[in-house]
Structures are given as structure tokens and as C-alpha cells.
Amino acid sequence: MIIQTLIFYVFAAITVAGGVMVVTARNPVHSVLFLILTFFTAAGLFILMGAEFLAMVLVVVYVGAVAVLFLFVVMMLDINYLKLREGFLQYLPTGVVIGLILLVELVMIAGKWVLSPASLESRAAPTPMLVKLTNTEALGQVLYTNYLYLFEAAGLVLLVAMIGAILLTHRVRPGVRRQKIVDQLARTKGNSLEIKKVPIGGGV
Amino acid sequence: MYELPNLVPALPEILLAVAALGLLMVGVFRKKDATGFVGGLAVAALVVAGIVEVNLARVPVVTTLGGMFVLDGFAVFVKALVLLAAVLTAIMSLSWLRQEKLGQFEFPVLLIFATLGMMMMVSANDLMALYLGLELQSLSLYVLAAYHRDNLRSTEAGLKYFMLGALASGLLLFGASFIYGFTGATGFDAIAKALGDGASVPVGVTVGIVFLLAGLAFKISAVPFHMWTPDVYEGAPTPVTALFAVGPKIAALALLIRVMVGPFGHLVEQWHQVVVALSLASMVLGAFAAIHQTNIKRLMAYSSIGHVGYALIGVAVGNAAGVRGVLVYLAIYLFMNIGTFTVILSMRQRGRMVEQIEDLAGLSKSNPLMALALAIFMFSMAGIPPLAGFFGKLYVFIAAIQAHMYTLAVLGVLTSVVGAYYYLRIVKVMYFDEPADSFDRPIGRSMTFILTGTSLVILLFFLFPEMLLTGAETAAASLFHG
Amino acid sequence: MYVAVVFLPLLGAFIAGLFGRTLGDRGAQLVTCAGLGGSAAMAVGIFLDVAVGGHAQTHELFTWISSGTLDITWALKYDTLTAVMLLVVTLVSFMVHVYSIGYMHHDPSVPRFMSYLSLFTFCMLMLVTAGNLVQLFFGWEGVGLCSYLLIGFWNDRPSANAAAIKAFVVNRVGDFGFALGIFGIYYLFGSVNFEAIFAAAPQHAHETVQFFGVSGNAMTIICLLLFVGAMGKSAQIGLHTWLPDAMEGPTPVSALIHAATMVTAGVFMVARMSPLFELSETALMVVTVVGATTAFFAATIGCVQNDIKRVIAYSTCSQLGYMFFALGVSAYQAAIFHLMTHAFFKSLLFLGAGSVIHAMSGEQDMRRMGGIWRHVKITYAVMWIGSLALAGIPFFAGYYSKDIILEAAFGAHSAVGEYAYWMGIAAAFMTAFYSWRLLLMTFHGKAHAEDRVMAHVHESPLVITVPLMLLALGAVFSGIIGVGAFVGEGREGFWREALVVLGSHPALEAAHHSPWLVSLLPIIVGAGGIALAYGFYVYMPAVPLGLARALPAVHRFLLNKWYFDEAYDFLFVRPAFALGRGLWKDGDGAVIDAVGPDGIAAATRSVARRMAALQSGYVYHYAFAMIAGVTAFVSWYMFLYQG
């Protein structure tokens, strides 16, 4: 048990430190790398809790897809991040004060943390009994039944996000040369070749 | 064995979702520009959904879909309002898209998704369902705000709205996680059960409620979570602004009411003060900040902030009378805003949209009927009897006074006096200033129809208030059934 | 009949006023004249029934106000006094209506004019038939309003508007007194109904009240307040200034309102309230002195005026003075008698003057008239009759009434009676003088008008001359017919309860036994006045001019109407304007506006500017505001609210 606790604290500490570094790193590429670190340690925390499916999804989706995409975007766009940070110091004091107040308050709440009996009950008896099923099976059982509504709704949200992305970025630009295989195949002699009589001595 | 849930209460939502997906396909596979076609079908789908919804009014309170979806009189009433707003804005948008030649078939599809999101919000009976409905609605609206993507202001509006909306969602989720953490449940009924009669509430729940409220306050643009409103209203395409001004406001306010009087109904002490503060700040800012605006859309933004402040009075009262006041207020607010935005949409000079207040100068001479309609809306917004806007305020104030919340009522009256200044200024510009260029005519049959309808409703409401009042009464009562 | 007589004119006014446009001029004239004609016919019937037959009666129409002890019914009270007034008002008004058809036919808004005239008549009838003070006040204000409307009828003339406003404002001073008087009566008697007041009056005769810190006899104070109202309406000295200016109105209006009816409302009111006035010696003395002074003072001014209508206006003022001092010596019967005869001959004079003006193409200045009698023979004749009646030449109407007034004043055997008698004699002399001055300057001598005007001089059409002739009949015969019943042996049986005269005031009785010289003197001075006028204006035209040059101060004093207007201008008008301007500029503008509306508006603007400035456009500002807001709310609950 002590080992588990130790590992938890190590992972937790790295997660928090990584999060801080994401925000404070000067180089945006470094920020993204720290983000990946944070994801990894978070996945570790999931594994500690026995939620191996979530841990894997986190690594595959967030690290493998999202964060890497992020990295590409950051590297491709030449943004002067120093300029974006102008005025940062100016607002720092007030920001720090507000942040501190909030932090103190949250700590106080954590100090008074009392779990409700209902909460303890539900934790003691998760909906599909984990002893009998694997993580994936358990999720699968509830996801398409009890949480069907949410699942469908989430699907719609993603669809809207996709539509939005396409709508806002996709456009027909004139002058872009694009290979159109259908057009290529449809070419005939008739519509691509023109024969002209060149008069003698007149040039083309 | 798993049983298929009762889908009847969610029929309008399912219908809309299917329609949106279908129309998406239609739009993609039609060769030529499909905006008009898809748009027409979208309006039809919204109307059908509305009819189905109204026919559900007789269904008693029922929860379905794993207890995450609730249908009661309150939900039906608000959804009917939302659908009405969606239909009207859809009609306005289509004519705008035609005029500006910006037609893309995704527009009506996104409009349906946004409406669907709002309806899901209204029926949410679970923190997760709440969040997903909210996100569906918000995401659609972010895109719509940035729809005019070649326009710097439009993209800026979309981006600002998106970023701040994400922050608000974060606050909301943070609050929700607090509540889940302390009660061990996300369903409203379960939360209510866990909290009991509210005698001893962990401070964490209170803080969770505050965060939750902050997230919702962003959606209804209550002060101090309102800052996005003027910029987004100004930047977004005008029909989208019209939608912003009514649909999401109504849905989010209804959601706020459902959350506050539902699971946290016994915790009035915990959230009451926040709502009062939001209400007071909104009324004051809405009244004062609008005075200096020159852009009419920006002015409407501040005006909507003010109106939210008045509506929040009813929420702060927290009983059936208060909720009834809010519902009446929202219904009237819908007509006033749609009407006003119809006029703003018709402000075109030589084929170009204009949106400065001074462009309205002399409208009474160049287009007396439109000037009259706008004057009616402005007087109504200022709360001048016997126009409908007066009754909206009246019922809210009455509820506040019955609940001995005199500060709110008195401040409400005072700020509405200040607010009257800028509403009446528009009337003054229209009727007493030297005429500027006249607007393009005709404004189109559908626009004329909407304008006439809304102004008649506002003008003649005092003759037939019963229908709305009893409807709101039963709707509010269904929320307090026990 | 008793109800219709009052409401027929109102009906006519409504129809002519509201549907004048569709009816046209002719229709409006017909409707209003028919209404008045019917009313006049019924008034004759009522007179025969009530005054001659002795059937005084009251008709209650409906309850008007019922609040606590204040109980006012809308009632029409008919007694002899009312019947006489009814007859006078409807007959004269009918004549004026008919006359107006001819006189106003050039005017673009005939229906409006006819409607106003009928409305005025209705209000006047309401006044004379009132069964209580409040109803009387309603009629009183109604005639005031109509007078305002009719004086300012030609509302494109600034002078007409000014005159209308002046009439209204000056009357307001009087009305204020009248209203206070009504309040006082209600305070004292607990009722405003005439029957109740008159029945209770003797019991309250010696009560005293505190009024504006002064303790005085209640009855005296009430009577004086009522008399202030009467002074305003009847243009007695001090509040008379509006009457000459009122001549800006069309001439039929002057005849109807400012000679025959409205201006006599004050006389009527005092006569109606005779049971109260009889109880206050002081009030009666004041009435006598004011009346006598007015009679003299107005006559002096009348001698030098050059505007034909103004001369008659001052004459009216003077004759009203006669009526008042008759009232003051308790000869109410004589006052009402003179009221009646005066109504006929004075409206005759006004309408005749109108006919002259009509003939002279609108000229009103007598210095530019003259020598036209051959062209306007009927007008000339009726003007003679009117003047003879006015001057009190025997056997014309004015002779009987004026003579009995002067005899009664002498017969009162009191100091004020004596004063009134001598003032009256002097006024009678001047009356005869200015009447013939008017006649001679207008009709005789060289023509002073331009040829163009002279060529146009013509007799008026029948619609104008017939009313003149009918009124002339009244001016000739109303005196000889009425003298017996009104003031002679038959007066007891005629008036019955309508007028109350205490036994301690035997002036009228004494009048019949006055020395022969007293009775003869008015005729002598009248003849003297006529002779003087002939002397001045026919035989020695240089004398008046020389007189004016020899005594420039006196002449100017008279020409400027004893400087009343100037004094009022200095005393009231200018200070009022100055006060108004001061309150407006300094009080309202500098203090109230600056602190109140303007100050609040300025504060609002500055708040608005600051709030608008919060909107910086930076997303991180907005986000920051949101976070700060959340933090504030959370802190509120964590530290302040939950403790």
C-alpha cells in the first residue's frame, strides 16, 4: 500500500508541476511537451485507480492525436509569443491576488470535505460490478443503455464541431491547382486539342 | 434485459435531430446551392417540432432516458417559446442570406442544432445532460457568430464568444464536479435527495452552486459575466444576433430556474444572494452603459443585459409567482426583440446594411409604418403602458413586492426609468431628427409579416393577456408540484 | 318646457359645433337660430306662468355631487327673478343670433361662431336657473369661457388674443373672490342650496369668523367676497379694465355678452343673494359706493373716447354702476328693472353701432365718420331711439328705470345714498352728452371718411335691420310696460319670494315719495347734456378742441382711462412677469434644474461613459472580469455570509 501511495504522490506532483510548466513555459513547443507529460502522469493516476481503459484512451487520444496535432499547429504557425505576452506583468499582481484568494478558498473547502452518505454508497457499489467485468465491458454496458442519451448528445456535439470546422475553414480558392482525377480521365482529344492554321511568314 | 426508454416526451428533439442529419445529407449531395431548399425544410421541421411539442402539453410530469430528460409544463412552455424564436429567426436569416449572398446550407442545419441544444437544456434533469445540451447549443452558436468569416468583426465575435464560452463551461463543469463530489450524484432528483431539506449543507456544495451559476450567468449574459455580449452582438451577423438575443437567453434562463428551484430548491439561502447580485448589477449596467452607444446592435446588447436583470428578479423571488413573472417576461421579451431585430435587418441603404442609430433619423417620414413599429417596440421595452413590455415588468415587480424584496423592485423601477432614456432616444431620432438617407424598400414579405405580427402582439397584448398568463401560471406551477 | 328652454341652445351649439363642416354656414345658422327661437318662445311662456301667474318652481334633474354633507343636485330654479332674466337673455340672444347671420356672413368660420354664441347662451341660462351656488358657478365660469372664446374669435389678431386673455385673467381675480365666498357659505351654512341658505340666513346674521387673521362679521365677509366676484364679471371700477378691450370681439358678441347678458350676471347674482346682502349694512354700503363711483368714472371716460364701440362699452360700465348702487340701497327691483331695459337699449346701440361699422367697411373711429345718416336711415333711427332711452328721456325705457334708481338712492336717506344720487346725476349728464356726441359725430356733420368708403356706405340688409327694429320696440316700450310690475304698486305681487328686502331698507318705497326736483333733475341734466353736445359738435366745433388744449392734463387723464391699465401694468403685470422670469431663470433654471433633472442627467451620462469604457474589447479583460466575479461571489459565501 505504501508503494501505491508513494507512486500516487509522485504522479500527482508531476501532473501539477507539468500543468504549471504548460502555462509558464516561454517556448510554446515546450508547453505542448509539458502538456504531454501531464497527460501521461494523469494516465498513470487512472491506472492506479484501476481504470485502465480510461488511461489507455487518454494516452491514445490525447497524447497520440490531440497533443501531437497541437504540436504541429504550434510549429507550423509562426506566432510571436513574446508579443502575445506583452502586458503580462502588468496584470500579474491582480491576477495573483485573485488566484490566491480562490486557492485559499478551495483549500478551505477541501479541509471541510465531508462526503455525503449517498456518495459513499455509490462508490461502494459501481453500477456494473467491476469484480465481474473488465473496464471496457462495464463501460460498454452502461454507455449504450443508461447513458444512451448522453452518448447521442455527445455525438451531436462532435458533429456540430466538425461542421463548424469545415464551414469556417473550407473555402474554394481561385488559382489553387488541384489534381482532379475525374477531370483528367474525362479529357478527350476534342476538348483539349486545338489545331490552328498558321499563315506562312506571320508567326504564331 | 435493457428496455427501450419512453421516447414520446423527447419526440420533438428526436425529430429535430433526425431532420438536421437528413438536411445535412441533402445539403451535401445537392449539386447547386441548397441553402434555400434546406432552409425551407429546416423551418418546416422547426414548425412541426413546435406542433408536436405543444401537443405534449397535456403529458404530466415525466422523466425518461435514464432520468436525464424531464418533460413538464414548464419545459413545454419554454420549448414552445424557443421554437417560436427559432422559426422566426430562421425566416429572418433566410431572407438575410439571400440578400447578402452568403448562403451556405450549413446555416439552417446549425440553427436546428442550436435549437436542439436549447431544448435539451430546458429538459435537462441531470448535470451531464445539462452540460451536453449547453455545449451543443453553444458550439452551434460559436460557429454561427463567426459565420460571416470574411468579415473581421464576425470572426472576432465568434472567437471571443468561443474562448469566453469555454471558460464559462469550465466554471460550470468545475461547479458540477463539486456538486457531484459532495452529493455523489449528477441526476437532479438524486441531488435533491442527497441534500435533503437543506438544513446542513456542505460549503462545497454552495461553492459548486456558485460556480454553476457563474457558468449559466455567462449564457444569459448577466453582469459580471456579460462582457462578451456587446462585442458578439455587434460582430455577429444580424439574424444570428437576433437569435442570440432570444433563444439562448430564454433556454439558459429556464435552465437556471430548473436547476435552482429543482435540486437546490431547499437551498434558497445558498443561491438567492448571488441571483440578487446578478440581477441588480445587470439592471444597473444595462441601463447606464447603453446610453452612450451609437450602434443599435450594441445598444440591443446592453438592453438585453438589462432585461435579463429584470427577469432575474423573478428568479430571485424563487416561488411560483416569480417564475410565472419570468415566463411572461420572456415571452413578451421574445416578441419585442424579434420585432426590433426585424427592423434592424431592414436597415439597408443602397443594398448595404447599416446599423448606426443615427441612420434611423427621419424614418418616420421615409417609412412611417416601420417607424411606428419600432416606436412600439421601444416604448414597450421602456415599459410604458399599455404595451406588453409594461406587463412583463409589472408581474415580475409584483412578485418581488409580494416576497418583500423591495430593494429589487425599487431599483428595477429606477433603472427602467434610466433605460427609458435610450429607448426613447431612438424614437426621438426617428421622429424628430432631420431625415437621413431612406432605407431600401420593400423589405420583403416575410419580414413585413414578422414585423406586423410582433408589433400587433405587443400593441394588443393588454386586450388578451389571459392566454399567456394562464399558460405561464400552469407552467410555473408544474415546476413546484412538490 | 322648463328643461328644454335651457338645453335647446346647448343642442344647437353641439350640432353647429360638431357638424358645422357638413351642415355648412347656412345649416349652422338655421340650427342655432331655431334653437334660440324655440328657447325664446318658451321663455315667454315661462315668464307668463312664473312671473305673471305666480307659479315659482324648481326642477331637479339629477344628483351631481354627493359627498359627506356636500350634496349638490342639478336643479333648475324658476322664480320671478329667473323668469325675467330668462326672458331678457333668450330674447336678446335670439336677436343677436339672427343679426349675426347678416353681420358675420363674410367670416370663414360661421359655424364656430354660431356654436359659441349658442353655447354662451346655454351657460347664461344655466347661470340664471341655477338652484345652488355651485351650479351658478358652473354657469358663471361657462360664460367666462365663452366670453374668452368669442373675444378672441378672430384669433389671427394679436390684439384680440391679448384682450381675450385679459378678460379671462381679470375675471379670474373676481372668480377667486366668488369661489371663496361660496366656500364661506358652505362653511357657515353647510349647504350651497339657495333654499337652505336663505332659510338659515337670519340665524347666522351676527356670527363672526376669522378670515386671513381678521375677525369680522361672517355675513359681511361672505357678501364682500361674493361682491368681488360680481365686480369682476360686471366690470366695476378696479376690475373693469377688461371690458373696453373686449370690444376686440365681433360686434354681436359685444351686444350679447358685454352689454345685455354676461356683464349683468354680477347684478343678478347680488340680487339672487339679496337675503344675505340685506343682513350686512357694510356690504351694502360698499356695493353702493363702488357702483356710484363706477357710474361716474366710466361716464367721464366715455366723454372723450373716439372708438364708437368703446364709448358704448364705457357707457355699459357706467350703467352697470347704476344697477349696483341700486342694489346697494336695497332697490333690487329697480336694479333688475334697469337691467332689463338696459339690455334692450344697449344691445340695440351695439347692434346699431355694428350696422354703422358694417356700413363704413369696418371703420370704428368716430373721427373718420360723419354725415352718413341719409344713407342709413333705419340705423340712424334706431340709434336715436337707443340714445334717447339711454339718456333717460321721458317715456323711453331708460327713463323709468334710471329715474327710479336715482329716486331710490335719494330715498335711502343715507350718506352713501346721497353720494350715489349726485354721482348718478353727474353720470346722467355725461351719458346724455356722450350719447349725442356719438350720434352727432357719426351721422352728422362733414363726411370724414375716404371717398371710397363713403361711396360704399349702404343700409344693412333686412336680416340686420329687423332685429334692430324689434329691439327698438323693446327700448321704447319695455319701460312703460314694466314699470308698474317691477317697481310700482304691483311689485309685491310680482316678485314674491324672489327678492328679499328688509323693512329697515325702505328706499324703493321712499322713492315714490321723493321731492319733485329729485325726480325732475335727471331729465333736466339729460336735456342739458344733449344741448351741450349739440353746442359742442354742431354749432361750435372749435370748443371741444380748445377745451382739450386748455386742459391737457384732464383730457389726457380721461383719454387714458384714468391710467388704470398703466397702474395695473406697473403694480401687477410687471412684478408678475419679473417674478415669473426670476423663478424661471434663477429658481427653476439655476437651482432646480441644475440639481434636479440636469444634475441627475449629467451624473447619469458620466456613469454611462465610465461603464461603456469598461468594455475594452480584450478577451483577457473579459475573462478576468468573470473570474473576479466568481471569486467575489465565492468569497461572499465563504467569509461574509456563512461567517
Side-chain angles (χ1 to χ4, degrees):
Chain A
M1 282 316 268
I2 190 132
I3 304 266
Q4 270 193 10
T5 318
L6 200 68
I7 292 172
F8 171 79
Y9 278 114
V10 169
F11 275 138
I14 296 174
T15 310
V16 173
V20 171
M21 288 311 288
V22 172
V23 181
T24 53
R26 281 176 179 273
N27 189 325
V29 178
H30 294 177
S31 285
V32 178
L33 291 175
F34 277 115
L35 190 64
I36 292 173
L37 176 67
T38 313
F39 285 148
F40 264 116
T41 46
L45 288 173
F46 276 131
I47 290 179
L48 270 182
M49 287 192 286
E52 76 278 348
F53 181 80
L54 276 184
M56 288 310 122
V57 168
L58 193 65
V59 171
V60 172
V61 176
Y62 278 82
V63 178
V66 177
V68 171
L69 199 64
F70 239 75
L71 207 53
F72 273 122
V73 172
V74 167
M75 290 166 102
M76 278 168 74
L77 295 177
D78 183 22
I79 300 169
N80 188 348
Y81 284 88
L82 278 180
K83 202 173 171 214
L84 280 184
R85 285 172 170 256
E86 267 177 19
F88 178 73
L89 283 177
Q90 190 192 335
Y91 297 103
L92 193 62
T94 30
V96 166
V97 168
I98 298 256
L100 274 180
I101 292 174
L102 211 53
L103 184 67
V104 168
E105 284 166 357
L106 292 180
V107 167
M108 283 175 65
I109 294 166
K112 287 191 203 167
W113 193 280
V114 184
L115 287 174
S116 75
S119 166
L120 290 171
E121 271 170 36
S122 69
R123 206 163 68 158
T127 322
M129 294 304 284
L130 282 175
V131 196
K132 298 175 188 158
L133 297 166
T134 63
N135 240 292
T136 320
E137 280 172 315
L139 273 174
Q141 269 190 10
V142 293
L143 196 58
Y144 303 109
T145 54
N146 294 7
Y147 296 97
L148 174 72
Y149 177 54
L150 301 181
F151 182 78
E152 294 293 342
L156 288 180
V157 170
L158 292 177
L159 178 65
V160 167
M162 202 170 82
I163 297 173
I166 295 170
L167 178 67
L168 293 182
T169 53
H170 173 77
R171 64 180 73 197
V172 185
R173 282 205 200 85
V176 175
R177 287 163 184 271
R178 195 175 278 145
Q179 186 184 26
K180 290 180 184 160
I181 294 172
V182 182
D183 287 0
Q184 287 175 351
L185 291 177
R187 262 168 75 103
T188 59
K189 193 174 153 192
N191 62 15
S192 57
L193 195 67
E194 192 183 357
I195 297 168
K196 284 205 169 176
K197 271 262 190 235
V198 182
I200 295 159
V204 184
Chain B
M1 196 44 219
Y2 179 71
E3 222 176 297
L4 194 71
N6 177 12
L7 292 179
V8 174
L11 212 53
E13 281 84 353
I14 294 170
L15 206 142
L16 280 186
V18 173
L21 295 174
L23 289 177
L24 198 59
M25 292 296 118
V26 172
V28 170
F29 287 109
R30 257 175 90 98
K31 280 279 179 286
K32 52 186 195 291
D33 180 30
T35 318
F37 183 66
V38 173
L41 287 177
V43 171
L46 288 168
V47 169
V48 171
I51 293 168
V52 174
E53 188 66 62
V54 172
N55 279 316
L56 288 173
R58 272 169 302 243
V59 176
V61 179
V62 57
T63 58
T64 182
L65 292 168
M68 292 175 190
F69 187 95
V70 63
L71 188 83
D72 51 12
F74 178 76
V76 172
F77 186 91
V78 177
K79 281 190 211 173
L81 288 187
V82 166
L83 282 167
L84 182 62
V87 168
L88 293 178
T89 43
I91 295 171
M92 286 160 69
S93 317
L94 289 175
S95 105
W96 176 79
L97 288 174
R98 237 189 341 268
Q99 276 169 339
E100 297 285 307
K101 301 191 178 57
L102 282 173
Q104 299 215 45
F105 72 89
E106 287 94 339
F107 191 102
V109 173
L110 285 171
L111 195 67
I112 297 185
F113 276 124
T115 315
L116 180 58
M118 293 173 208
M119 292 168 71
M120 287 164 65
M121 284 160 70
V122 175
S123 270
N125 201 31
D126 185 290
L127 288 175
M128 288 188 282
L130 177 160
Y131 177 70
L132 281 171
L134 197 70
E135 278 307 299
L136 183 59
Q137 178 249 142
S138 306
L139 209 52
S140 314
L141 293 182
Y142 300 149
V143 179
L144 285 178
Y147 179 79
H148 195 356
R149 63 183 180 186
D150 294 327
N151 180 319
L152 200 61
R153 299 191 146 224
S154 178
T155 33
E156 182 189 326
L159 198 60
K160 266 184 187 163
Y161 192 25
F162 176 58
M163 291 172 71
L164 294 171
L167 178 63
S169 292
L171 293 176
L172 187 136
L173 280 180
F174 195 57
S177 70
F178 262 74
I179 293 165
Y180 176 61
F182 278 94
T183 60
T186 55
F188 289 172
D189 303 330
I191 293 174
K193 215 172 101 192
L195 290 173
D197 60 355
S200 65
V201 182
V203 69
V205 173
T206 311
V207 173
I209 293 173
V210 170
F211 274 94
L212 198 66
L213 267 175
L216 291 175
F218 173 84
K219 296 295 171 198
I220 57 172
S221 65
V223 179
F225 308 102
H226 68 284
M227 307 278 278
W228 59 276
T229 322
D231 293 4
V232 174
Y233 272 43
E234 187 186 349
T238 308
V240 178
T241 311
L243 180 64
F244 278 168
V246 282
K249 289 259 158 73
I250 293 175
L253 208 54
L255 178 59
L256 196 142
I257 291 172
R258 185 180 288 292
V259 176
M260 289 307 136
V261 305
F264 306 121
H266 293 294
L267 277 66
V268 176
E269 287 295 300
Q270 319 298 317
W271 53 266
H272 171 246
Q273 311 246 340
V274 177
V275 177
V276 170
L278 291 175
S279 167
L280 287 181
S282 303
M283 287 191 293
V284 170
L285 189 117
F288 282 93
I291 289 177
H292 267 280
Q293 304 307 324
T294 53
N295 181 300
I296 192 161
K297 281 162 78 181
R298 241 181 136 74
L299 183 116
M300 289 306 290
Y302 285 107
S303 151
S304 81
I305 293 173
H307 284 300
V308 161
Y310 298 120
L312 279 175
I313 293 179
V315 183
V317 171
N319 56 22
V323 173
R324 184 189 73 153
V326 179
L327 291 179
V328 172
Y329 198 99
L330 288 179
I332 291 166
Y333 170 81
L334 185 155
F335 286 103
M336 293 191 295
N337 258 287
I338 293 286
T340 310
F341 274 103
T342 315
V343 175
I344 296 175
L345 260 181
S346 312
M347 292 170 62
R348 309 172 66 85
Q349 286 171 352
R350 288 184 283 277
R352 212 169 44 78
M353 301 279 301
V354 290
E355 42 197 51
Q356 295 301 308
I357 290 172
E358 63 218 41
D359 292 325
L360 286 167
L363 186 64
S364 62
K365 297 189 187 68
S366 58
N367 194 343
L369 284 178
M370 200 203 278
L372 179 69
L374 188 56
I376 289 173
F377 298 132
M378 289 300 128
F379 279 121
S380 173
M381 289 210 190
I384 288 165
L387 298 173
F390 165 74
F391 292 95
K393 286 201 173 74
L394 180 72
Y395 288 111
V396 174
F397 290 157
I398 285 178
I401 285 169
Q402 280 169 348
H404 305 289
M405 293 176 157
Y406 301 113
T407 326
L408 273 180
V410 169
L411 213 82
V413 172
L414 287 181
T415 52
S416 59
V417 170
V418 177
Y421 169 79
Y422 58 80
Y423 294 127
L424 299 188
R425 186 167 62 119
I426 292 184
V427 176
K428 175 237 162 202
V429 167
M430 287 193 304
Y431 279 87
F432 300 109
D433 282 9
E434 281 306 307
D437 282 357
S438 59
F439 296 142
D440 297 352
R441 298 178 76 170
I443 59 171
R445 201 177 305 150
S446 54
M447 303 290 266
T448 317
F449 172 72
I450 297 178
L451 198 57
T452 320
T454 45
S455 50
L456 281 181
V457 168
I458 296 300
L459 191 63
L460 301 179
F461 171 76
F462 75 100
L463 293 178
F464 320 99
E466 277 314 304
M467 219 167 69
L468 182 60
L469 288 184
T470 48
E473 182 110 46
T474 44
S478 80
L479 205 55
F480 290 88
H481 59 94
Chain C
M1 181 166 84
Y2 288 87
V3 178
V5 70
V6 175
F7 286 96
L8 264 184
L10 180 65
L11 189 69
F14 258 119
I15 293 172
L18 296 181
F19 308 109
R21 226 167 272 210
T22 36
L23 287 175
D25 293 359
R26 181 63 52 186
Q29 287 162 344
L30 277 179
V31 164
T32 48
C33 289
L36 250 296
S39 202
M42 281 184 272
V44 173
I46 292 171
F47 182 79
L48 293 176
D49 186 30
V50 174
V52 179
H55 299 115
Q57 49 200 301
T58 302
H59 294 267
E60 291 203 358
L61 299 185
F62 55 90
T63 301
W64 185 15
I65 303 172
S66 181
S67 157
T69 58
L70 185 64
D71 188 15
I72 301 170
T73 51
W74 204 277
L76 302 178
K77 177 184 167 77
Y78 290 97
D79 58 8
T80 308
L81 182 59
T82 302
V84 171
M85 292 301 290
L86 210 58
L87 192 67
V88 171
V89 170
T90 52
L91 283 181
V92 175
S93 180
F94 181 50
M95 294 302 139
V96 170
H97 269 78
V98 174
Y99 178 90
S100 298
I101 294 176
Y103 191 81
M104 299 297 285
H105 74 275
H106 286 314
D107 202 89
S109 37
V110 169
R112 182 161 65 98
F113 184 76
M114 301 308 286
S115 166
Y116 284 170
L117 274 188
S118 279
L119 183 65
F120 166 80
T121 313
F122 162 72
C123 292
M124 192 66 205
L125 293 176
M126 211 69 224
L127 194 160
V128 298
T129 56
N132 58 61
L133 277 168
V134 177
Q135 198 182 337
L136 184 110
F137 193 68
F138 167 81
W140 188 270
E141 292 298 312
V143 292
L145 169 70
C146 294
S147 158
Y148 167 81
L149 291 173
L150 284 165
I151 294 171
F153 180 74
W154 284 319
N155 49 23
D156 47 347
R157 291 187 195 171
S159 60
N161 285 329
I165 291 171
K166 188 173 179 183
F168 209 71
V169 170
V170 174
N171 266 299
R172 212 102 287 279
V173 177
D175 293 348
F176 184 61
F178 187 27
L180 282 180
I182 295 176
F183 300 156
I185 286 175
Y186 181 65
Y187 174 73
L188 198 63
F189 296 95
S191 173
V192 290
N193 284 320
F194 288 137
E195 269 102 17
I197 298 169
F198 297 159
Q203 304 154 20
H204 294 283
H206 301 292
E207 283 180 17
T208 58
V209 287
Q210 293 279 337
F211 188 71
F212 288 141
V214 183
S215 175
N217 180 281
M219 208 59 77
T220 303
I221 288 172
I222 287 170
C223 288
L224 287 178
L225 287 171
L226 293 178
F227 181 58
V228 170
M231 278 173 72
K233 196 108 295 186
S234 295
Q236 292 303 287
I237 188 166
L239 296 176
H240 68 281
T241 53
W242 63 271
L243 184 59
D245 287 8
M247 296 303 132
E248 288 291 344
T251 306
V253 173
S254 309
L256 177 62
I257 300 184
H258 307 120
T261 55
M262 185 187 86
V263 288
T264 60
V267 180
F268 165 79
M269 191 259 280
V270 174
R272 172 61 87 205
M273 301 309 286
S274 59
L276 301 192
F277 276 86
E278 278 299 289
L279 297 170
S280 171
E281 293 294 337
T282 322
L284 285 176
M285 272 167 61
V286 171
V287 173
T288 313
V289 172
V290 169
T293 313
T294 309
F296 174 76
F297 138 89
T300 58
I301 298 175
C303 290
V304 298
Q305 293 300 314
N306 292 317
D307 184 311
I308 185 168
K309 283 179 72 184
R310 275 176 191 256
V311 173
I312 308 177
Y314 276 105
S315 158
T316 305
C317 205
S318 171
Q319 297 303 312
L320 288 166
Y322 276 100
M323 297 176 211
F324 272 102
F325 75 69
L327 296 169
V329 296
S330 294
Y332 302 102
Q333 298 90 335
I336 298 297
F337 185 38
H338 192 55
L339 189 161
M340 184 189 74
T341 56
H342 173 257
F344 288 116
F345 65 71
K346 190 50 67 67
S347 55
L348 173 64
L349 280 173
F350 261 119
L351 294 182
S355 179
V356 170
I357 295 167
H358 192 74
M360 298 292 292
S361 311
E363 182 58 65
Q364 298 198 12
D365 193 329
M366 295 192 295
R367 285 170 299 187
R368 294 202 208 111
M369 297 179 182
I372 60 167
W373 69 274
R374 275 174 220 286
H375 306 289
V376 287
K377 288 202 177 101
I378 299 174
T379 308
Y380 179 58
V382 298
M383 286 296 274
W384 259 91
I385 294 172
S387 297
L388 287 169
L390 174 61
I393 300 305
F395 314 118
F396 288 93
Y399 162 73
Y400 297 100
S401 54
K402 196 189 263 182
D403 224 39
I404 194 74
I405 286 177
L406 289 168
E407 284 169 2
F410 187 83
H413 297 301
S414 59
V416 290
E418 203 87 346
Y419 170 75
Y421 178 73
W422 288 111
M423 282 290 156
I425 292 293
F429 174 72
M430 286 183 282
T431 304
F433 172 73
Y434 64 65
S435 296
W436 262 263
R437 177 173 172 265
L438 185 151
L439 279 177
L440 295 170
M441 283 179 82
T442 308
F443 294 104
H444 295 271
K446 279 210 303 279
H448 297 286
E450 294 170 32
D451 294 343
R452 189 170 48 78
V453 176
M454 284 307 290
H456 197 260
V457 171
H458 60 284
E459 183 56 273
S460 303
L462 276 182
V463 73
I464 288 184
T465 49
V466 168
L468 286 179
M469 289 186 277
L470 289 175
L471 284 171
L473 285 181
V476 176
F477 297 112
S478 63
I480 200 160
I481 292 171
V483 65
F486 276 74
V487 292
E489 297 306 318
R491 63 178 187 272
E492 295 286 325
F494 181 69
W495 293 104
R496 281 177 290 273
E497 273 84 46
L499 297 172
V500 174
V501 183
L502 294 188
S504 54
H505 296 138
L508 197 59
E509 186 57 39
H512 294 293
H513 310 292
S514 50
W516 62 271
L517 192 61
V518 169
S519 308
L520 209 56
L521 199 55
I523 305 168
I524 296 170
V525 296
I530 295 169
L532 187 67
Y534 265 100
F536 271 17
Y537 293 99
V538 176
Y539 302 109
M540 294 172 284
V543 173
L545 280 177
L547 212 57
R549 283 211 195 95
L551 300 164
V554 173
H555 185 251
R556 217 177 307 124
F557 183 65
L558 294 178
L559 201 61
N560 286 314
K561 303 160 274 179
W562 289 31
Y563 292 108
F564 259 102
D565 278 338
E566 286 73 11
Y568 281 177
D569 190 47
F570 179 75
L571 282 177
F572 301 119
V573 180
R574 272 163 208 275
F577 270 115
L579 187 66
R581 197 167 294 121
L583 286 178
W584 163 42
K585 285 260 162 88
D586 303 332
D588 198 37
V591 180
I592 295 174
D593 271 0
V595 177
D598 286 358
I600 290 174
T604 306
R605 280 172 172 280
S606 83
V607 170
R609 207 165 327 162
R610 257 174 255 160
M611 283 197 174
L614 282 179
Q615 203 71 30
S616 61
Y618 292 113
V619 174
Y620 54 88
H621 281 173
Y622 298 178
F624 190 75
M626 287 168 64
I627 301 285
V630 168
T631 312
F633 284 136
V634 172
S635 309
W636 165 260
Y637 277 106
M638 296 278 301
F639 298 109
L640 300 170
Y641 186 64
Q642 294 198 321

